Amino acid sequence: MKFWFRLAILSSCIVGAWAQTTDPKAEPAAAPSALDAVLFYQLLLGELNAREGSPGAGFSMLLDAARKTRDPALFQRAVDIALQARSGDAALQAAQTWKRELPQDSEPNRFILQILLALNRPEEAGQALLVSLNELPAAELTGAMASVPRLFAPLPDKKRAADVVEKALTKYTAKVPGSATAWTTIGRMRRDAGQEDLAIEAALKARTADTSSPGPIILGLSLMGSANPKLQAMLDEAMQGNVLPELRLGYARTLISQQQYPKALHELTQLNAKHPEFAEGWLIRGLLLQDMGQIAEAQQQLSQFVQLNAKNTEPEQQAGQAEALMALSQIAQRQGQLDQAQKWLAQMPATADPIKLASRQADLLAQQGRMSEARLVLAQVKTSSPEQAKRKTLAQSQWLREHLQSAQAYPLVQAALKESPEDADLASELAMVTEKLQRHDEMERLLRQVMKLRPKDPQAFNALGYSLADRNVRLPEARVLIEQAVALTPQDPYIQDSLGWVAFRQGQHAEALKILTAAYKAKPDAEIAAHLGEVLWAMGNTQEAGAIWREGLLLKADNETLLETLKRLNFKP
C-alpha cells in the first residue's frame, strides 16, 4: 500500500513538472498527453531509483528522457540527481548534454561553470565563464562580472584563478561601459591572490575607464595598506569630487588606522559639509577630535551625532549612539561636570555593551572617591561567553592598573591566563601589570611570548623596547626592538614617541627632538608631552619645555609619566 501511495505522488509530480514546461497560457492538461506510456514509465522509474538509493540508474533514465524530449526541466533534474549523489562528473555530463541539445539556452552553462569550479578545474571554468558572459544581455553584464570573485573564491590556487578570470575578461576590459567593472573584478582577484601590485594596477585602470564608478575606489581603499603613491594619488583625486558619503567615510577611517589624523580630519570635515544629514560622519569626526585633544570641537560633533541619530533603531547605529554618549560622558567628567556625565550615561540605549558601560561608570565613581562601588560595578557585570568573560577581566585589570591597584589586578589576570595560556591579550595585559609592579623579568617573558603569538603586532616589541629605554638599560637592544615596531607600523605616534625616547637616552638629543616634535604634532598626548618637554629641558629650552608640559596637563592632568617628570625636574606648572 505504501509503495503504491508513493507511486501515485511521483506520478502527480511528474505530470505537474511536465505541465510547467508547456505554454503557460495553455489550458491545464488533464493527462500527460505529450508523453507516451514508455517515456512516462521511464521517468517514473528514474525518480523511483533516485529516491530509493540508486541515483546512478535514476540519473541515466532521466538524462535519456531529457535527450528524447529536449526538455530543460528534465535536464536540470538529471543534474540535481547527480549533484545529490555527489557525482560531479555525472552532473557535468548532464549539463554539457543539456547545452549541446539546447544551445540557445543560457541556463546549462551556469551549471557547467559552478560544477567545474566545484571540481577545481579552473581553466575550463574560465572558458565557461566567458561563454556565460557572452550570452548575457547588456543590462546584466556588470552585475555578473562583479559576482565573479565570489564564484571563484573556493578555488585553492588563488593566483591561477586570477589568471583565468583576467583571461576571460580580456575582451571586456577594452569595452565601455563595463570596462571599469571588468578591471575592478580583476583587481579583486589579484588582491585576494596576494598580488598587490597587479591589483593596484587594475584599480588605476578601472578608475581611468570610468571616474563615476564607485568600484575602483572601494578596491583602492582595500589596498591602502600598500604604500603606493599612485594609489594614494588616485584616491586623493577621487575625493576631490562628489563621492558617496560611505566612500569618503571609508577613506577617513583608513587614514585614521594609518595614524594620518590631520588628513583624516580634513576628509571628515568635507563629509560633514557636503552631507550634513549623514550621521556617522559626525560621530567619527567627534571621536577623532577627542583623541586629538580638541575637546570643545569634539563635544559639538558628538552632540550633533546624538541628536541626528536619536530615533535610529538599527543595531549598528545604536552601537554608535552608545559610543558617542560614552565619549560625551568622559568629556564632561574631565571638565568636572559629574552630573552632566551621569546624564549622558542615563541616555544609553539598552543594547549598549555592558562591559564598556560598566568601565565608564566605574571611572565616574572613582573620580567621586567611591572606589569600592566602582570595583563592584565592574565585578557585577554578567557575561554569557568565554570572550565576554575575558573582556570583563581585561576591563577590571585596566581599571585597577590605572588607579594604582596593580597588585589586585595581578591574580585576576594570572588566573585567566592560566585558563587560556595562549591568549595574547591576557598575556599583554599581565605584562603591563607586572611592569607597574616592577617585576621586569616576568614582564619581559610575557612580552616575548606575545611576540611569538603575534609576530606582526608591533605593540609587544614597542612595550619591551620602551621599558628598557625608560629604565635606561640595554639601550642598543631597546632601539632594535622599537625599530622593529616602527617597521610594522611606521606612522604610529606612540611608537615614534618610544623611538624618540630611546634616542634621548642614547644622548642623541637633536634626533630625539625631531622625532618627538613630529609625534606630538601628529598626536597631542600627555605622555609624549612629558618626553618632548624633557628633551627641550635637557637642551636648555626651559620656557618651551614648560609650555609643552602645561599643554600636557590640560590633556590629562593625572598622567603618571608627566607628573613623575615634573616632580623629578622640580618644575612647578
Side-chain angles (χ1 to χ4, degrees):
M1 186 69 115
K2 184 177 179 184
F3 171 80
W4 291 109
F5 177 69
R6 284 208 308 275
L7 190 61
I9 291 175
L10 281 171
S11 299
S12 66
C13 288
I14 292 170
V15 172
W18 187 265
Q20 289 173 9
T21 67
T22 63
D23 184 353
K25 296 179 181 177
E27 291 295 321
S33 56
L35 292 171
D36 59 31
V38 174
L39 186 57
F40 185 73
Y41 185 65
Q42 182 178 348
L43 289 174
L44 218 57
L45 280 179
E47 285 290 347
L48 278 171
N49 275 288
R51 297 192 183 203
E52 295 295 328
S54 300
F59 166 79
S60 298
M61 290 178 181
L62 282 167
L63 183 56
D64 184 56
R67 284 197 195 98
K68 290 173 181 175
T69 61
R70 294 167 57 83
D71 186 315
L74 292 180
F75 277 116
Q76 183 168 338
R77 180 61 184 143
V79 172
D80 289 341
I81 288 173
L83 290 175
Q84 288 165 13
R86 300 182 181 277
S87 177
D89 290 332
L92 183 60
Q93 177 197 348
Q96 288 172 335
T97 304
W98 179 4
K99 183 65 178 175
R100 191 165 53 249
E101 295 291 330
L102 299 169
Q104 301 306 314
D105 193 344
S106 62
E107 194 64 21
N109 208 65
R110 296 179 188 179
F111 280 93
I112 291 169
L113 173 56
Q114 293 181 32
I115 294 165
L116 287 168
L117 289 169
L119 292 172
N120 192 21
R121 289 157 67 171
E123 279 75 18
E124 293 172 75
Q127 303 258 333
L129 172 63
L130 182 57
V131 173
S132 289
L133 293 175
N134 287 340
E135 291 178 343
L136 286 174
E140 296 179 21
L141 189 58
T142 55
M145 284 194 288
S147 69
V148 167
R150 179 176 53 80
L151 278 175
F152 278 72
L155 292 181
D157 190 337
K158 303 300 181 187
K159 291 182 180 179
R160 191 175 171 197
D163 290 340
V164 163
V165 168
E166 181 161 3
K167 184 178 178 182
L169 297 184
T170 298
K171 65 175 283 187
Y172 297 100
T173 58
K175 282 189 175 182
V176 178
S179 56
T181 304
W183 279 118
T184 301
T185 298
I186 291 166
R188 290 166 61 194
M189 295 293 296
R190 294 297 180 190
R191 178 199 62 196
D192 296 345
Q195 298 172 303
E196 280 197 356
D197 290 342
L198 291 175
I200 291 169
E201 183 183 334
L204 297 174
K205 288 179 178 177
R207 175 70 182 170
T208 302
D210 183 1
T211 56
S212 67
S213 173
I217 301 174
I218 296 169
L219 174 60
L221 291 175
S222 73
L223 292 164
M224 270 192 70
S226 172
N228 186 298
K230 289 183 179 179
L231 178 65
Q232 186 71 64
M234 183 267 274
L235 291 169
D236 287 341
E237 180 269 329
M239 294 302 147
Q240 298 299 314
N242 292 318
V243 298
L244 293 169
E246 292 84 1
L247 294 182
R248 195 178 296 277
L249 180 65
Y251 187 46
R253 284 181 179 277
T254 305
L255 291 169
I256 291 169
S257 71
Q258 296 178 344
Q259 287 87 39
Q260 298 187 52
Y261 301 127
K263 198 169 183 178
L265 186 58
H266 169 76
E267 292 300 334
L268 291 166
T269 304
Q270 290 286 102
L271 176 59
N272 294 152
K274 291 176 183 287
H275 300 279
E277 77 292 346
F278 188 70
E280 198 172 357
W282 297 100
L283 171 64
I284 303 304
R285 184 179 169 196
L287 294 173
L288 178 59
L289 285 165
Q290 182 191 24
D291 206 37
M292 294 174 71
Q294 299 179 35
I295 301 302
E297 287 184 64
Q299 194 171 23
Q300 290 175 3
Q301 315 308 317
L302 292 167
S303 298
Q304 179 73 5
F305 171 77
V306 168
Q307 185 178 348
L308 281 171
N309 197 54
K311 295 180 181 179
N312 197 322
T313 57
E314 292 181 14
E316 188 175 340
Q317 297 304 318
Q318 287 280 291
Q321 192 80 347
E323 194 77 17
L325 289 167
M326 286 184 195
L328 285 165
S329 172
Q330 187 178 42
I331 290 170
Q333 180 188 342
R334 287 186 176 177
Q335 293 172 337
Q337 301 170 3
L338 302 187
D339 288 343
Q340 181 58 54
Q342 191 58 54
K343 285 178 183 177
W344 288 122
L345 291 184
Q347 298 179 43
M348 201 68 65
T351 54
D353 184 322
I355 296 170
K356 285 185 178 180
L357 179 57
S359 297
R360 182 90 289 284
Q361 289 170 328
D363 275 343
L364 194 53
L365 288 166
Q367 185 159 337
Q368 299 171 60
R370 297 155 67 181
M371 303 300 284
S372 298
E373 289 178 66
R375 283 197 65 177
L376 193 61
V377 164
L378 283 168
Q380 287 181 335
V381 174
K382 293 181 179 179
T383 60
S384 57
S385 67
E387 180 61 26
Q388 272 199 336
K390 182 184 89 170
R391 288 183 56 231
K392 176 181 173 179
T393 298
L394 292 171
Q396 287 177 287
S397 176
Q398 286 159 12
W399 185 88
L400 289 165
R401 182 161 49 82
E402 287 171 8
H403 291 87
L404 308 180
Q405 298 181 43
S406 295
Q408 286 88 344
Y410 183 84
L412 193 70
V413 187
Q414 188 186 44
L417 187 59
K418 190 175 287 186
E419 290 289 320
S420 306
E422 299 297 306
D423 193 296
D425 293 326
L426 291 169
S428 293
E429 177 58 27
L430 191 58
M432 297 303 99
V433 171
T434 52
E435 192 270 337
K436 293 290 184 187
L437 296 172
Q438 297 189 6
R439 296 164 68 162
H440 297 120
D441 289 345
E442 187 174 357
M443 178 200 71
E444 182 168 345
R445 177 183 61 76
L446 287 162
L447 288 176
R448 292 198 182 279
Q449 178 187 345
V450 175
M451 290 175 202
K452 289 179 181 176
L453 292 170
R454 291 180 178 167
K456 297 290 179 75
D457 186 343
Q459 300 309 322
F461 295 95
N462 181 58
L464 181 53
Y466 175 78
S467 176
L468 294 173
D470 201 45
R471 288 180 279 135
N472 211 11
V473 298
R474 295 156 53 192
L475 294 179
E477 184 182 351
R479 179 125 193 177
V480 168
L481 286 163
I482 294 168
E483 285 174 347
Q484 284 180 274
V486 169
L488 290 166
T489 312
Q491 303 297 326
D492 191 312
Y494 293 111
I495 295 175
Q496 290 293 323
D497 171 58
S498 299
L499 184 62
W501 192 234
V502 75
F504 174 68
R505 290 297 205 196
Q506 291 178 315
Q508 299 167 10
H509 292 184
E511 182 190 2
L513 180 62
K514 181 181 177 181
I515 295 170
L516 290 167
T517 300
Y520 188 65
K521 184 179 179 181
K523 173 67 178 165
D525 176 85
E527 187 141 338
I528 302 175
H531 295 147
L532 176 57
E534 184 157 353
V535 173
L536 288 164
W537 185 273
M539 296 175 76
N541 299 327
T542 54
Q543 269 193 318
E544 197 175 345
I548 293 291
W549 284 332
R550 291 186 190 94
E551 283 182 21
L553 289 169
L554 290 174
L555 291 167
K556 198 171 191 304
D558 60 349
N559 180 269
E560 281 186 68
T561 301
L562 180 54
L563 293 176
E564 186 278 328
T565 301
L566 300 184
K567 182 179 179 182
R568 177 166 42 82
L569 297 176
N570 198 27
F571 177 81
K572 307 293 182 186

